[in-house]
Amino acid sequence: MPFLRAATRAELREAPAGRYASGEGFVHFCAGEDLWGVLLWGRPDGEAIAQLVASLKLEIEPTTPPHGSLVDASRLAGVDATAFTTLARYVETSQAGLAARVTRLALVRPSGMEGALVSGFFDVLPRPYPVAVYEDRREALRWLACPDPASLDDELGAVLTTLSETSPVVAQLRGLLDGDRALGIGDAAHALALSERTLQRRLKEAGTTFQDEVAAARLRAAQRLLLDSDASLTHIALEVGCASLQHFSALFRRHFGEAPSAWRARHRR
């Protein structure tokens, strides 16, 4: 099972296997050409689900092989009416593409009223593929014929825990920095409609700093380049914004406990 790593939607389209795109309350991932999926948590609003739908459309492009799909809604805390309508409209208007590209869907439901609403989604909409409802993600992965359901379940759980526990401001800042690692704190605060001082305070409350988030964005970009290219370490260091290979190597070792070359070799193997 591939090592799942964060990506932009463009990167997910270009080389989906082993990548995921995320937004407020959702993750859209591709574990391999035969398995895609969605993780949901909290109470994503209409705007967040519109972003998810834009990413979901990658699954029904003509070049995407037929595949199984997992929707894990076990951590949903509520269902926004606008979000429900946006998702329902996508399913209704994409029947042909869904029928051609998705072989079957496993739905992991939350408890309580949210679970009843999620389970009943396909009772009020056409089912373009077989649907099975589960309360356990690992069982759902087994039904989807995942070759290693335990490993993928553990990895999805780690991704879900990390992202769901991140404050909204930190998550938004990370999205900005993934798009522009040279962004200064003033421009970032302006983009988030905050004062610079408020942004610094919010980051401190979340246990991080702007400098830490810039470094983390550089490392995320470096991981993608290490895995997806044969570029030299010096080229990668300069590409992600480090002043030198020595600076890059020290930063990488401090965060991951090994040299970038060793990390690349281990994950590629």
Side-chain angles (χ1 to χ4, degrees), residues 146-207:
C146 174
D148 190 354
S151 294
L152 182 57
D153 180 48
D154 288 343
E155 189 154 354
L156 292 174
V159 170
L160 182 57
T161 297
T162 299
L163 293 178
S164 64
E165 292 179 355
T166 301
S167 78
V169 168
V170 173
Q172 291 168 357
L173 175 62
R174 288 174 181 173
L176 288 174
L177 292 173
D178 283 339
D180 183 2
R181 294 181 298 277
L183 199 66
I185 188 170
D187 290 333
H190 178 75
L192 296 172
L194 299 171
S195 69
E196 186 173 323
R197 185 174 180 179
T198 298
L199 175 57
Q200 290 175 323
R201 185 179 72 251
R202 297 276 185 88
L203 292 175
K204 183 178 180 180
E205 290 169 352

Side-chain angles (χ1 to χ4, degrees), residues 38-107:
V38 173
L39 309 176
L40 297 166
W41 67 89
R43 189 184 175 92
D45 58 18
E47 181 179 350
I49 295 302
Q51 294 174 5
L52 171 60
V53 164
S55 189
L56 285 173
K57 290 179 180 177
L58 301 179
E59 292 194 38
I60 58 174
E61 291 185 349
T63 55
T64 302
H67 57 275
S69 181
L70 171 76
V71 176
D72 180 2
S74 59
R75 292 201 189 182
L76 272 184
V79 179
D80 180 273
T82 303
F84 187 94
T85 301
T86 300
L87 196 56
R89 186 180 300 117
Y90 164 70
V91 173
E92 287 178 325
T93 59
S94 305
Q95 289 286 302
L98 290 169
R101 299 297 165 197
V102 181
T103 57
R104 53 180 169 172
L105 182 143
L107 182 62

Side-chain angles (χ1 to χ4, degrees), residues 210-221:
F210 186 78
Q211 290 74 23
D212 287 343
E213 293 304 321
V214 170
R218 288 173 176 167
L219 290 170
R220 288 193 296 272

Side-chain angles (χ1 to χ4, degrees), residues 117-139:
L117 289 170
V118 168
S119 300
F121 185 82
F122 286 104
D123 291 337
V124 296
L125 289 170
R127 296 188 182 200
Y129 33 63
V131 176
V133 179
Y134 292 88
E135 294 185 357
D136 180 82
R137 185 172 57 226
R138 194 166 299 188
E139 288 299 317

